[in-house]
Amino acid sequence: MNAPNPLKPPSNHSCCLIPSSFFGCFSLIYYNPAFSQPLVFFLIQKFLQVGESKSARCDDLKSLKERKCDEVKIENPRGEVTILKNKPVTVRVGNVKPKLNEITQIQPQKLSLKLRSGEPQTFKLKFKRAEDYPIDLYYLMDLSFSMKDDLENVKNLGTDLMKEMKKITSDFRIGFGSFVEKTVMPYISTTPAKLLNPCSGNQNCTSPFSYKNVLNLTDDGDKFNNLVSQQQISGNLDSPEGGFDAIMQVAVCEEQIGWRNVTRLLVFSTDAGFHFAGDGKLGGIVLPNDGKCHLENNFYTMSHYYDYPSIAHLVQKLGDHNIQTIFAVTEEFQPVYKELKNLIPKSAVGTLSSNSSNVIKLIIDAYNSLSSEVILENTKLPEGVFLSYKSFCKNNVVGTGDNGRKCSNISIGDEVEFEISVTSQKCPSNGKPETINIKLPGFSEFVEVVLNFICDCDCAATGVPNSPECNKGSGTLECGACKCNEGQIGQFCECSQDEVQTNDMDANCRKDNGTDICSNNGECVCGTCICKKRENPAEVYSGKYCDCDNFNCDRSNNKLCGGHGRCECRKCICDANYTGNACECSMDSSTCLAKNGQECNGRGKCECGVCKCSDSKFQGPTCELCPTCPGVCTEHKDCVQCLAFKTGEKKDTCQQECTKYKLEKVTERERLPQPTDEPIPRAICKERDENDCWFYFTLAVQEDDTKQVHVLEKPECPAGPDIIPIVAGVVAGIVMIGLALLLIWKLLMIIHDRREFAKFEKEKMNAIWDTGENPIYKSAVTTVVNPKYEGK
């Protein structure tokens, strides 16, 4: 078994050692990411307790000073920032235009950081948009049949766009490319006739193709117009187009396209959707896109061989080549391309009119939008390294978190600043320097940051091989600790692996002839217990049999030794003025003093810095509260009343019961003394006597128990009731109630009469009279017939 290397730290921290002499004072540096400040460690060689491993040299600076280690012998390496290349940002003077290779927009350009675990290193980065910065713009157009009318408007795009872009920069170049679709079924018809002319009817179209580079980037706008005017529309079968193939070739074919190391814009114009990775399987294409240039005679020749690129692949290539994309699409496909924009950094979407007549305005607006925002990105970070950003933008706007990476509304000539902190939480496995780049998407410039990790001390490089201190040359003495040669083990490499007999050695590692080896807290090496480490480096086992530790002591307030002592071999060693098993008892009695200077107000004793009240009815930090006691005002009410007004329950026994009162009358309430911050508190009282009168007084109890009372000389008594208004009000109320009742009765009668009359009228109208003879009618004329009369 090989002895552990004392210089190799655990995965989450690093350790270093320095010797002054072998038996002198040694220092060790321990980095723990849980602390904001790294810890420094010392040790005297003889100070190590039996069973403690070399890692037990770790401690903080305060503890090391208590161990009498000389502070000047501390090796305490600190991280630092070194600027290696710091060319200032370009400031244009007058009309002198700087050369392209002389323009600098980001400062500094290269730095070297020394990183100590858990200790952040911070540097500032400055960015300034250069005036008259060159622009390369490549116009990539969909030439499927639906874009026929758009092509007519694009034919004059070159000179018009050059004229507008000259207002932004004097160095502008433009190029043109077109795309249709993969030349395999089912994307296009592969019949011989359709391969010559894919359009139907009398339409004359060119043969289908995947991508064609029509014009390399040039500053000749007329040449753009001439070549574009010669282009013909083609056709395909499905609606989505093969634009992703074309974008990939435009990005990776830098030499063929003629990209310069300047602002690069790609305008992607279409009125349809797009195919992406996986769609090639419909045509029998299964090989993923390789992301390489395959242009021959300005045509993409591998469209039938490689699948469409994925969105993530495009994002990577566009970012690697600093190309900003402007999607000029019709309104119908705006939602699709806006979602795509969210996945591609430094891209914009503009609404293309049905015939592309607004393309110039669209390009200018999109460029202004892209160039007005600055976003920082970094390459892949080594494991355990973290970056944080803070931005200082225009108008004193400060951003942190995700907003710390960017600034918006940046105009030409504006200068912004970023503060970048780099933190390493552990050393890399190989310990070698790492390099990361911080760049701005859409800009070719970047900051190179070289990361150097502090994992060992300088003394590790000056170790003494085969040192006599390590068992007569059985190991290398590095920083005061023995690094054993192969085959040797032990603190001083005193044991040979071949000669060690485990049974014999284990007997020396059992306490009191017990069965547990090293108390189950360590490993027996050469008959000596080497205590195991815990996950928390601050917690250690110690002792000859690893039977001691510094973390199993009593706790108070959930703190080890109450936070007022240290744990040694499972017992608390308390700080000064503290005692108890868990150092929970403070011997300082100042916390028990009341405002009157008495300890616990004379109502208890001070124990462990806390008042223990002698009477349970008293509470509070200094036994000043008594929730069940009568109030001060109520307690002294009767004495004040009898002394001031000769009334109250104690008016006959006032002289005997109300002694030690010093009373003074005042004429107005405003003259009553108010409570102050004096040691003796003063109470303001308002009490009621047997006549329901209120009297006011203030009371202060002095140290000799004398009650100082100030009382208002005239009580405030309530005035008697005024009888006349009360009687008048009652009479008026009765009259008003009577009148109201009469009015209500009258109103109800009127309503009732009107209803009855209406009912009568209704019955009268509905009556039907008999026109026959009245049966009870009797005529006033009576006719008598003589029975004897025979009519003769």
Side-chain angles (χ1 to χ4, degrees):
M1 178 178 84
N2 292 328
N5 184 354
L7 300 180
K8 283 299 179 183
S11 60
N12 64 338
H13 62 274
S14 304
C15 298
C16 301
L17 295 162
I18 281 190
S20 57
S21 65
F22 188 70
F23 295 101
C25 183
F26 299 84
S27 64
L28 176 141
I29 309 239
Y30 165 71
Y31 310 99
N32 190 333
F35 298 94
S36 59
Q37 294 295 330
L39 305 179
V40 184
F41 305 91
F42 282 95
L43 185 67
I44 298 175
Q45 182 69 22
K46 293 294 185 180
F47 182 76
L48 278 176
Q49 299 181 24
V50 177
E52 285 187 314
S53 64
K54 300 178 183 68
S55 63
R57 299 168 182 260
C58 300
D59 212 335
D60 56 40
L61 185 58
K62 178 182 177 182
S63 298
L64 296 174
K65 289 180 178 179
E66 292 176 354
R67 297 178 185 180
K68 309 301 180 185
C69 278
D70 191 351
E71 188 173 357
V72 299
K73 296 178 181 177
I74 301 175
E75 181 173 341
N76 187 11
R78 310 298 299 184
E80 64 179 4
V81 178
T82 304
I83 297 178
L84 303 178
K85 187 177 180 181
N86 193 28
K87 184 179 178 182
V89 293
T90 301
V91 179
R92 186 168 179 177
V93 180
N95 294 323
V96 179
K97 181 181 178 182
K99 296 181 180 179
L100 180 58
N101 58 359
E102 296 177 349
I103 296 177
T104 302
Q105 298 183 106
I106 190 169
Q107 178 189 1
Q109 295 79 40
K110 186 174 182 180
L111 304 97
S112 175
L113 305 185
K114 284 187 178 181
L115 296 179
R116 172 177 175 173
S117 296
E119 180 187 35
Q121 294 300 317
T122 302
F123 62 91
K124 291 188 176 180
L125 186 150
K126 184 188 299 183
F127 174 81
K128 182 177 181 180
R129 276 190 63 189
E131 300 180 36
D132 202 17
Y133 195 72
I135 299 174
D136 284 354
L137 184 146
Y138 193 86
Y139 195 91
L140 182 60
M141 185 175 181
D142 177 8
L143 283 189
S144 58
F145 189 78
S146 59
M147 294 286 286
K148 181 178 179 180
D149 53 348
D150 300 77
L151 180 60
E152 295 300 321
N153 285 304
V154 174
K155 288 180 179 179
N156 297 320
L157 176 65
T159 53
D160 295 340
L161 185 58
M162 292 283 282
K163 185 184 300 181
E164 292 296 324
M165 294 301 289
K166 288 292 184 181
K167 298 177 183 178
I168 299 175
T169 175
S170 60
D171 189 355
F172 175 72
R173 300 199 310 168
I174 189 172
F176 184 82
S178 59
F179 66 91
V180 181
E181 187 55 277
K182 288 183 180 295
T183 55
V184 295
M185 283 289 289
Y187 311 112
I188 67 167
S189 176
T190 55
T191 60
K194 290 295 183 181
L195 286 176
L196 292 176
N197 184 4
C199 300
S200 59
N202 297 324
Q203 299 291 337
N204 186 21
C205 297
T206 189
S207 301
F209 56 91
S210 176
Y211 162 66
K212 177 172 61 175
N213 176 33
V214 178
L215 176 65
N216 293 352
L217 290 164
T218 178
D219 56 3
D220 189 347
D222 293 332
K223 185 177 180 180
F224 179 95
N225 294 343
N226 293 333
L227 284 175
V228 174
S229 63
Q230 299 173 16
Q231 302 305 304
Q232 287 183 292
I233 292 295
S234 185
N236 61 314
L237 297 179
D238 60 342
S239 177
E241 315 295 359
F244 276 16
D245 273 342
I247 293 176
M248 177 63 75
Q249 293 303 302
V250 171
V252 299
C253 298
E254 286 190 325
E255 294 184 4
Q256 290 85 342
I257 302 297
W259 289 115
R260 295 178 298 171
N261 204 15
V262 298
T263 298
R264 300 176 176 182
L265 300 177
L266 170 61
V267 179
F268 182 84
S269 175
T270 184
D271 64 348
F274 49 81
H275 284 295
F276 53 91
D279 290 353
K281 293 180 180 180
L282 295 173
I285 303 172
V286 296
L287 287 178
N289 195 287
D290 64 350
K292 296 180 180 179
C293 182
H294 296 287
L295 286 184
E296 293 183 12
N297 297 323
N298 288 324
F299 281 91
Y300 177 40
T301 59
M302 301 299 286
S303 67
H304 65 287
Y305 191 76
Y306 289 116
D307 193 6
Y308 302 98
S310 66
I311 295 176
H313 201 181
L314 276 183
V315 170
Q316 177 194 348
K317 292 300 181 181
L318 290 172
D320 291 345
H321 296 275
N322 298 310
I323 295 176
Q324 304 176 70
T325 310
I326 301 172
F327 295 104
V329 297
T330 55
E331 186 173 1
E332 179 184 359
F333 288 92
Q334 283 284 307
V336 176
Y337 283 91
K338 284 183 178 179
E339 291 296 327
L340 182 62
K341 166 190 170 295
N342 295 333
L343 301 175
I344 301 179
K346 295 294 285 185
S347 61
V349 177
T351 303
L352 190 68
S353 62
S354 59
N355 58 2
S356 298
S357 58
N358 68 328
V359 67
I360 293 180
K361 182 178 183 303
L362 185 154
I363 292 173
I364 298 297
D365 292 344
Y367 168 73
N368 290 332
S369 174
L370 289 172
S371 59
S372 65
E373 185 175 54
V374 177
I375 304 175
L376 291 184
E377 288 186 351
N378 52 267
T379 54
K380 185 178 179 181
L381 298 174
E383 186 178 359
V385 175
F386 302 92
L387 264 66
S388 64
Y389 294 85
K390 187 176 183 180
S391 60
F392 301 89
C393 307
K394 290 176 61 178
N395 303 321
N396 298 320
V397 176
V398 179
T400 56
D402 289 338
N403 292 327
R405 291 175 173 265
K406 61 185 179 181
C407 284
S408 302
N409 300 320
I410 307 301
S411 304
I412 294 175
D414 287 342
E415 183 175 294
V416 295
E417 196 172 72
F418 296 89
E419 188 176 270
I420 304 172
S421 291
V422 184
T423 306
S424 173
Q425 300 293 0
K426 65 178 183 178
C427 284
S429 56
N430 56 13
K432 295 181 180 179
E434 300 277 356
T435 300
I436 61 173
N437 293 331
I438 298 175
K439 61 180 183 178
L440 292 84
F443 297 90
S444 58
E445 299 172 68
F446 61 90
V447 179
E448 181 180 354
V449 183
V450 180
L451 307 179
N452 299 283
F453 300 91
I454 302 175
C455 299
D456 295 314
C457 275
D458 295 337
C459 62
T462 58
V464 181
N466 302 320
S467 171
E469 307 292 350
C470 299
N471 191 32
K472 301 178 182 180
S474 299
T476 301
L477 183 64
E478 291 184 3
C479 300
C482 286
K483 181 181 178 181
C484 298
N485 297 334
E486 187 175 357
Q488 297 296 125
I489 56 177
Q491 188 171 12
F492 301 103
C493 310
E494 67 273 21
C495 293
S496 171
Q497 286 181 308
D498 299 331
E499 297 176 356
V500 171
Q501 295 183 7
T502 306
N503 294 334
D504 296 339
M505 295 298 179
D506 286 353
N508 297 325
C509 297
R510 295 188 178 97
K511 183 178 181 181
D512 299 330
N513 294 323
T515 59
D516 295 335
I517 296 177
C518 301
S519 305
N520 288 328
N521 295 324
E523 182 181 2
C524 188
V525 179
C526 296
T528 302
C529 286
I530 302 299
C531 302
K532 64 183 180 183
K533 300 177 185 177
R534 289 178 59 82
E535 184 176 351
N536 183 355
E539 298 178 354
V540 295
Y541 291 106
S542 60
K544 181 178 180 180
Y545 302 103
C546 301
D547 52 336
C548 290
D549 61 61
N550 65 348
F551 54 88
N552 273 323
C553 291
D554 292 335
R555 293 176 177 267
S556 176
N557 294 327
N558 203 28
K559 294 181 180 179
L560 191 67
C561 297
H564 303 300
R566 64 184 184 276
C567 182
E568 292 185 3
C569 202
R570 302 185 179 181
K571 290 186 178 180
C572 287
I573 307 300
C574 300
D575 297 338
N577 292 329
Y578 284 92
T579 185
N581 293 334
C583 303
E584 75 282 6
C585 187
S586 173
M587 299 167 63
D588 183 9
S589 62
S590 61
T591 56
C592 296
L593 293 179
K595 289 185 178 180
N596 58 11
Q598 290 182 307
E599 187 176 280
C600 301
N601 271 303
R603 298 165 179 164
K605 295 181 180 180
C606 187
E607 297 180 3
C608 296
V610 179
C611 282
K612 300 294 183 181
C613 303
S614 55
D615 192 336
S616 60
K617 68 180 181 180
F618 291 101
Q619 301 175 8
T622 56
C623 303
E624 72 278 11
L625 302 177
C626 183
T628 60
C629 296
V632 173
C633 296
T634 305
E635 181 181 353
H636 299 280
K637 165 190 172 183
D638 294 333
C639 284
V640 174
Q641 187 178 357
C642 77
L643 291 173
F645 309 110
K646 309 300 181 182
T647 59
E649 295 180 1
K650 294 184 180 181
K651 62 181 179 179
D652 298 328
T653 60
C654 192
Q655 298 299 327
Q656 293 79 18
E657 297 185 27
C658 300
T659 60
K660 291 190 175 182
Y661 279 86
K662 184 180 179 182
L663 188 137
E664 182 178 343
K665 293 185 179 181
V666 296
T667 56
E668 298 178 359
R669 283 180 57 184
E670 290 75 11
R671 295 187 179 183
L672 287 173
Q674 299 298 312
T676 63
D677 295 330
E678 298 174 1
I680 302 176
R682 183 179 297 275
I684 298 180
C685 302
K686 177 184 177 183
E687 296 295 335
R688 179 180 293 177
D689 60 15
E690 60 273 12
N691 297 321
D692 285 336
C693 296
W694 293 99
F695 61 96
Y696 299 86
F697 64 94
T698 62
L699 174 70
V701 182
Q702 298 178 343
E703 293 184 4
D704 58 354
D705 203 29
T706 299
K707 291 82 175 175
Q708 185 180 20
V709 180
H710 290 75
V711 62
L712 187 64
E713 63 180 3
K714 290 184 179 180
E716 291 184 358
C717 298
D722 193 348
I723 300 300
I724 295 177
I726 294 176
V727 173
V730 171
V731 172
I734 293 173
V735 171
M736 294 299 294
I737 292 173
L739 290 175
L741 292 175
L742 287 174
L743 288 174
I744 293 172
W745 176 80
K746 184 63 177 176
L747 179 63
L748 292 175
M749 292 302 296
I750 292 173
I751 293 173
H752 178 267
D753 291 345
R754 288 185 178 181
R755 285 181 178 176
E756 291 296 322
F757 182 76
K759 183 178 179 181
F760 168 76
E761 289 291 331
K762 183 177 180 181
E763 291 177 351
K764 179 180 178 182
M765 295 293 296
N766 294 333
I768 301 175
W769 301 103
D770 187 7
T771 58
E773 183 179 355
N774 190 343
I776 62 172
Y777 175 76
K778 291 183 178 182
S779 177
V781 178
T782 301
T783 303
V784 178
V785 179
N786 188 352
K788 295 294 185 177
Y789 180 67
E790 295 180 352
K792 294 179 179 181

